Amino acid sequence: MAAMTNSAYDASPPSSTELPPPSRLHQVVVLASSGAGHLIPLVELVRRLAVDHGLAVTVVTLTGMSNPATDAAVLASLPASVATAVLPAVSVDDDTHTIELVRRSLPHLRALMEGLRGGGSPAAALVCDFFGTAALPLAAELGVQGFVFLPNSLAMIYIMRYTAELHGGAAAGEYRDLPDQLPLPGAPALRHADLPDGFGDRTDPTYAYHVEEARRYGGANGFLVNSFEELETAMAESFKRDAEDGAFPPVFPVGPIVRSSSSGEEADESGCLEWLDSQPEGSVVYVSFGSGGALSVEQTAELAAGLEASGQRFLWVVRMPSLDGASNNFAEMDDKDDPLAWLPEGFLERTSGRGLAVAAWAPQVRVLAHPATAAFVTHCGWNSVLESVAAGVPMAAWPLYAEQRVNAVILTEVAGVALRPAARGGGGLVAREEIAAAVRELLNGEKGSAVRCRARELREAAARAWSPEGSSRRALAEVAGKWKAALVDGNRTIA
């Protein structure tokens, strides 16, 4: 059984569960998967369900694949009315995928939900994360609505759906690779090189997991997606038509759901905000590859040289380089690690005054909202993308792993809010000359002017989406209304 508290995280599951009193109406159970990139937008969604719609919510996290301290820091920002639960540990090893962790945890989730019902607080809905659809059959069995929250783009649902349709009822040995050209509504066809990690090669160990996950999509009552209609217009319209025809469950764009400057961000010990205060308005390029992005030693040196050659002001969040060529590294930094030590000799001295390099972390939401920030060199993680869009900051798209290449296509060729520096040859190295040219173009060039204009337009569109009559606000209100009605009248199916 899971440990439950109100807006508190217990990292060590006890032997019994303390349920809330029967008077508490638990209308929604939200199952989070591992990783801050998934948990942060999920927590912000829960905040809106609780504060804006008066829903009682229990956030359920897993034991075994994420850092409890990191999870606790994110969960601490939840309203006091939100309960949290941590499921007991299950057997895992280094190769256990999050999807498999969810599957092994289902007996504990069942016990929690049955306990809520027995305590007089039945759930009307189970909302699972992108990697948690193994819980959808459990929702159906218990008679509650099963929803999926995607912290990514609408395009990712389309790719997952296409994957399921391609393979149909094929056995694992019959899986086929996704095609070299995968059409997307309103977008150029995705090239094979643009597919998310694990999708382009049927021999990849995660490929079967993705196929299995995608096949369960048809059993969902609906999808909540961290995007908004004006960002992916054609995609949103395509899903609307399919829902009306009964070809696919309803898809509700409810974004952009981004952190506020006061939720989950630590104090700025780096001093970068104070430094930005001293810079001219619209003059600084912000460079960050997220909490997991990693550049090679060679690429780190090229980036430094490119920023120096650009002549532009910059704020660079430097992480430890990858020594094995991997493009992601989610390991916690050791106290002895100094990523700034890997910068070229004399770089910090030569760029002093117009550039600032900080180690590992910066208060990104506040940096992007700062008047001095003019552009963002980004790995295209979806949280970072939406934070930049909400702030009206144009981007240089530099994808590294996961679905970031898909996001880069959306940003450059659909939304028109980013430029993309070209990589050299098959190794993917972005040369210093290309970096310098991209930065100068983004801030001062003709193509950059169009991107800057589009960034301002999307900032206004993002604000409209969450205005009182905005599309995203209305979409979330529609779903919340269905859940409330289901609990009151016993009708647990989407109309």
Side-chain angles (χ1 to χ4, degrees), residues 3-9 18 20 24 26 28-30 46 50 55-61 75 78-86 116:
M4 294 190 65
T5 60
N6 282 353
S7 63
Y9 186 96
E18 293 184 10
R24 178 178 172 81
H26 271 78
V28 182
V29 173
V30 177
V46 167
L55 287 167
V57 185
T58 295
V59 179
V60 181
T61 55
L75 293 168
L78 281 168
S81 62
V82 175
T84 62
V86 56
L116 290 173

Side-chain angles (χ1 to χ4, degrees), residues 336-394:
K336 297 179 181 179
D337 292 336
D338 180 11
L340 303 186
W342 292 86
L343 297 176
E345 185 176 357
F347 169 76
L348 295 176
E349 292 75 15
R350 292 191 301 273
T351 58
S352 177
R354 71 172 178 86
L356 177 66
V358 299
W361 184 88
Q364 181 162 292
V365 173
R366 285 180 284 174
V367 167
L368 289 170
H370 198 283
T373 302
F376 183 16
V377 178
T378 174
H379 64 311
C380 301
W382 197 245
N383 289 335
S384 292
V385 164
L386 293 182
E387 289 166 1
S388 195
V389 166
V393 176

Side-chain angles (χ1 to χ4, degrees), residues 1 3 35 39 62 93 120 135 150 160-161 169 171 219 233 249 255 276 294 341 350 382 386 423 428 444 455 463:
M1 193 70 85
L39 187 58
L62 306 173
D93 52 46
L150 268 87
M160 294 288 288
R161 178 183 176 187
T233 304
L276 283 171
R350 292 191 301 273
W382 197 245
L386 293 182
N444 302 308

Side-chain angles (χ1 to χ4, degrees), residues 181-191 194 235 409-410 412-415:
Q181 297 287 319
L182 195 160
L184 292 177
L190 282 182
R191 301 169 303 159
D194 292 325
M235 195 74 66
V409 172
I410 295 171
T412 56
E413 302 187 48
V414 178

